[in-house]
Amino acid sequence: MRLSPDHSVKGLVLCPTRELALQVTDHLVAACKHTGVRIVPIVGGIAAPKQERLLSYKPPILVATPGRLWSSSRITNTFRICPLLSSSLLTKLTEWSRTGISRK
């Protein structure tokens, strides 16, 4: 099921750890079970070709860790299919990928 004719991502959940991102993905998949909405995790530990294939389906919801989202964007042009990402969020992703997520 696609949520809109433009097939763009409508939801982005950023999680600080891979484990949390996978848990969130599991819960969202369960919540959306009968809707046909595809939820895709973008985290370390999943092969890059598999993530590229999952992103090629242009899912309406992404659950990601900042570092993997940033690195996959360089490979697969995630930002082209994810108009949610503003320049301020891109700046934060860059900062997080270099220094880690601050607990302020």
Side-chain angles (χ1 to χ4, degrees):
M1 174 180 171
R2 306 264 193 236
L3 293 183
S4 69
D6 67 359
H7 306 296
S8 63
V9 174
K10 299 300 180 200
L12 173 63
V13 180
L14 286 176
C15 298
T17 65
R18 174 186 187 276
E19 292 77 16
L20 182 58
L22 293 174
Q23 288 176 9
V24 168
T25 299
D26 290 344
H27 287 282
L28 288 173
V29 166
C32 297
K33 184 176 182 177
H34 300 290
T35 65
V37 173
R38 184 182 294 253
I39 293 100
V40 170
I42 304 298
V43 297
I46 298 176
K50 180 176 181 177
Q51 287 187 345
E52 289 177 35
R53 188 178 71 249
L54 292 171
L55 287 171
S56 74
Y57 300 140
K58 299 180 181 170
I61 301 174
L62 296 177
V63 181
T65 55
R68 181 49 73 108
L69 182 65
W70 178 248
S71 64
S72 71
S73 71
R74 292 176 178 203
I75 298 166
T76 62
N77 203 3
T78 304
F79 301 136
R80 182 174 44 83
I81 66 166
C82 191
L84 301 176
L85 298 176
S86 66
S87 60
S88 61
L89 182 55
L90 292 176
T91 302
K92 267 296 183 205
L93 283 173
T94 304
E95 179 183 324
W96 287 346
S97 70
R98 290 186 185 139
T99 62
I101 297 173
S102 174
R103 303 284 185 220
K104 294 180 188 177

